[in-house]
């Protein structure tokens, strides 16, 4: 099996190293990731300048671009053969609910999915890399499960509580929950007295009921949400057709 691995925390991130180590034991891996932390870059592609790719001493490739750039470059010019799976992460911090729209971790996996390749995005629920070994073992478990009964391609968004492997609950199929709107930007001043703004933190969970990713994570379960890309609002489409008739 050939696996393409990327992330959004950058090629030096502990989560990427742990993921690559875990999957190198069971597959031929290629790792290509941003040269710096590009969290929150969503599905953006760099179109206003060329990209450079370099190889680090550990064999990882790094690119001065986004997670989507990395996977796009790998699939359209770098790899001689299409991988069987694209895997992203392990991200520092949860990607649940609307996070999935902003996440570069999810975007790297989505790029593979858009090219018809099954893909999985992995995130740890809490920051700080606690119990990263357990998360990497879950990632390996998930890859080894193969999911032969799933339609191809699939796109899984996986969130893993920061717990020892033995203390993780079941692996639960979930839907995305919803968050309250983000906290306001933080307005402050730079050292020269100029006004600057920091984008504030994400909102707390709003729809975190049973069946959601938020709920599963709170139980200590591994949350797996199958994602799709079509943003069409099917029910509003019918109403709009009537409005425009
Ligand atoms: Mn990140």
């Amino acid at each position: 099996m050939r696996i393409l691995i990327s992330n959004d925390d950058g090629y030096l991130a502990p989560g990427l190293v742990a993921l690559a180590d875990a999957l190198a034991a069971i597959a031929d891996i290629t790792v290509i990731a941003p040269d710096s932390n590009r969290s929150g870059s969503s599905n953006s592609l760099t179109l206003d300048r060329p990209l450079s790719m370099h190889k680090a001493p550990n064999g990882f490739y790094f690119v001065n671009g986004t997670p989507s750039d990395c996977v796009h470059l790998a699939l359209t010019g770098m790899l001689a053969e299409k991988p069987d799976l694209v895997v992203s992460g392990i991200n520092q911090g949860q990607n649940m609910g609307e996070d999935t729209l902003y996440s570069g971790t999810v975007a790297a996996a989505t790029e593979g999915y858009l090219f018809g390749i099954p893909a999985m995005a992995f995130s740890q629920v809490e920051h700080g890399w606690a119990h990263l070994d357990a998360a990497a073992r879950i990632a390996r478990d998930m890859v080894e499960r193969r999911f032969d009964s799933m339609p191809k391609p699939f796109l899984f968004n996986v969130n893993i509580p920061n717990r020892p492997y033995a203390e993780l609950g079941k692996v639960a199929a979930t839907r995305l929950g919803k968050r309250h709107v983000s906290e306001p930007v933080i307005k402050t001043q730079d050292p020269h007295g100029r006004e600057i703004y920091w984008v504030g933190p994400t909102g707390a969970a709003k729809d975190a009921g049973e069946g959601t990713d938020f709920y599963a994570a709170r139980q200590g379960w591994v949350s797996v949400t199958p994602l799709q890309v079509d943003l069409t609002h099917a029910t509003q489409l019918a109403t709009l057709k009537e409005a425009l008739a």
Side-chain angles (χ1 to χ4, degrees):
M1 180 165 49
R2 281 185 300 273
I3 302 179
L4 179 66
I5 302 175
S6 191
N7 79 343
D8 76 354
D9 294 333
Y11 78 106
L12 296 172
L16 182 70
V17 175
L19 182 61
D21 285 347
L23 298 184
I26 57 168
D28 292 331
I29 63 161
T30 303
V31 182
I32 180 167
D35 64 355
S36 62
N37 192 327
R38 303 303 299 268
S39 295
S41 58
S42 190
N43 298 88
S44 64
L45 290 173
T46 301
L47 304 176
D48 59 346
R49 58 177 173 82
L51 300 169
S52 304
M53 183 174 69
H54 297 283
K55 194 174 187 178
N58 69 350
F60 290 7
Y61 294 90
F62 59 97
V63 176
N64 58 340
T66 65
S68 294
D69 285 332
C70 292
V71 175
H72 195 91
L73 196 159
L75 296 180
T76 61
M78 173 203 184
L79 294 175
E81 285 185 273
K82 214 165 100 162
D84 303 295
L85 188 68
V86 173
V87 173
S88 176
I90 298 167
N91 188 58
Q92 172 161 235
Q94 60 190 251
N95 280 305
M96 301 198 275
E98 291 87 345
D99 303 340
T100 50
L101 290 173
Y102 298 98
S103 168
T105 305
V106 175
T110 302
E111 193 67 17
Y113 174 77
L114 291 173
F115 278 85
I117 302 165
M120 301 183 190
F122 294 98
S123 305
Q124 282 196 297
V125 170
E126 306 288 343
H127 282 245
W129 306 118
H131 306 294
L132 184 56
D133 56 327
R137 203 166 149 192
I138 290 291
R140 179 177 161 164
D141 291 350
M142 287 290 292
V143 170
E144 285 184 320
R145 277 183 188 234
R146 299 183 58 87
F147 296 96
D148 286 332
S149 63
M150 291 292 298
K152 304 288 184 308
F154 54 76
L155 173 59
F156 290 165
N157 182 45
V158 185
N159 283 280
I160 308 161
N162 299 56
R163 294 184 176 195
Y165 188 80
E167 292 173 26
L168 284 166
K170 65 180 177 181
V171 179
T174 60
R175 66 178 174 85
L176 297 180
K178 287 189 175 65
R179 289 187 186 276
H180 290 281
V181 293
S182 295
E183 301 291 322
V185 291
I186 294 146
K187 187 173 157 184
T188 179
Q189 285 188 340
D190 74 5
H192 308 286
R194 290 172 296 217
E195 217 164 71
I196 53 169
Y197 300 87
W198 281 103
V199 171
T202 55
K206 182 167 70 176
D207 172 10
E210 210 168 332
T212 64
D213 44 7
F214 292 109
Y215 182 89
R218 210 168 347 105
Q219 315 306 312
W221 303 341
V222 175
S223 167
V224 184
T225 308
L227 301 180
Q228 61 181 348
V229 171
D230 185 350
L231 295 177
T232 309
H233 197 310
T235 50
Q236 282 196 5
L237 177 59
T239 312
L240 178 64
K241 275 182 178 166
E242 280 171 29
L244 293 174

